[in-house]
Amino acid sequence: MRIEARGLTFEVRTGGPEGGEAVLLLHGFPQHAGEWDEVTPALHAAGLRTYALDQRGYSPGARPADVGAYRIPELVADAAAVLDALGVTTAHLVGHDWGAIVAWGLAAAHPERVRTLTAVSVPHPAAMGHALATDPRQKARSSYIALFRRPGKAEKVLLAFRAAALRRMLAGVGDADRVDRYADPMREPGALTAALNWYRAMTGADMKAVGPVGVPTTFVWSDRDVAIGRTAADACAAHVTGDYRFVVLPGVTHWIPDEAPGPLAAAILARAGR
């Protein structure tokens, strides 16, 4: 379905019983709402109603040209506005990768809208800041961001030879067909630039502005994540004042919703009280 919010048109995948408690699912880079397709059946079976959002830059009708339009406060405001447009007062919130950063921001700024939070792969932004300041290995893990922030250069590198570099980055999601389902949309004109603008608009001030989270929270991390190390994962607890659970998935890479949908669904349902 299409949702009009903040002058933009967002694509939203819906499922589950219409009367069920709402779950807002926020994807990461360079994916889309389809990354939740293997997770949602278990949520629907438990009586939950899911809304998987193609976020700003990923929905073709929500792709502003200005880099500043992709700052974290704008992304958080999108999520809240989509809930408003859906008529959803409160929701269980689930976010992976960049979607987790949006989820942390929404839970911190608007706790009255969030029943529970399940953040996947990426910890609270303050935990990331701590790791980047204290752990050289985390700095090395995050070094790819410097390329992503270079307009033109990043697109050239990632899209060359039928997006070979982008496909290599996505190898952990599964077979070639699953890689294609994420890589091919990024080859559409303007799509990858819009997705990369999330990185280009990112500022230390916006990351620091995300306050502590008081809603019941689960952080799901995998020990083969090449982007997020243990220092950042362990630091997350210090920035949650509500009930907190830390779930580690051994032997799983960064692409948790694709690679381990069953354990992830179980963690979401446990947090949602199902």
Side-chain angles (χ1 to χ4, degrees):
M1 65 186 299
R2 292 180 177 174
I3 294 292
E4 303 292 329
R6 307 187 72 216
L8 303 171
T9 303
F10 293 92
E11 305 289 334
V12 181
R13 303 187 187 200
T14 64
E18 292 190 7
E21 291 180 1
V23 182
L24 181 64
L25 299 154
L26 303 172
H27 66 83
F29 174 88
Q31 298 176 280
H32 49 65
E35 77 165 281
W36 303 108
D37 286 354
E38 303 301 316
V39 178
T40 53
L43 307 188
H44 299 160
L48 297 172
R49 176 74 169 172
T50 62
Y51 300 95
L53 170 65
D54 280 342
Q55 298 190 80
R56 178 177 293 232
Y58 295 84
S59 288
R63 195 170 284 169
D66 180 41
V67 172
Y70 296 84
R71 290 180 56 201
I72 291 172
E74 297 294 333
L75 308 172
V76 170
D78 287 346
V82 167
L83 288 177
D84 290 340
L86 290 168
V88 173
T89 303
T90 61
H92 301 285
L93 189 58
V94 183
H96 172 241
D97 186 75
W98 259 107
I101 295 178
V102 178
W104 286 113
L106 182 61
H110 301 287
E112 74 284 356
R113 306 299 303 272
V114 181
R115 289 175 179 265
T116 67
L117 167 64
T118 302
V120 187
S121 297
V122 175
H124 190 284
M128 278 300 300
H130 165 78
L132 287 168
T134 62
D135 185 357
R137 290 172 296 181
Q138 184 58 58
K139 289 182 181 179
R141 289 173 184 269
S142 300
S143 61
Y144 68 92
I145 294 175
L147 170 64
F148 285 6
R149 288 172 65 90
R150 294 181 63 183
K153 177 66 172 180
E155 286 89 338
K156 182 177 180 180
V157 170
L158 292 173
L159 294 179
F161 306 108
R162 293 188 64 252
L166 189 64
R167 293 176 192 279
R168 284 195 301 272
M169 187 182 77
L170 286 162
V173 303
D175 61 20
D177 288 342
R178 190 170 288 270
V179 171
D180 287 346
R181 76 184 300 205
Y182 300 128
D184 287 347
M186 289 291 99
R187 299 176 67 200
E188 297 172 3
L192 180 59
T193 295
L196 289 169
N197 280 343
W198 288 49
Y199 291 93
R200 294 165 184 168
M202 179 176 59
T203 66
D206 283 349
M207 296 286 275
K208 291 177 181 178
V210 179
V213 169
V215 305
T217 297
T218 294
F219 175 47
V220 182
W221 175 76
S222 46
D223 64 4
R224 290 187 59 202
D225 192 321
V226 299
I228 308 295
R230 187 82 197 208
T231 299
D234 286 342
C236 188
H239 304 283
V240 180
T241 59
D243 181 68
Y244 179 72
R245 301 171 190 168
F246 179 32
V247 176
V248 179
L249 301 181
V252 178
T253 71
H254 178 77
W255 311 103
I256 293 174
D258 292 278
E259 190 175 353
L264 176 56
I268 296 167
L269 291 172
R271 174 46 71 192
R274 300 297 173 120

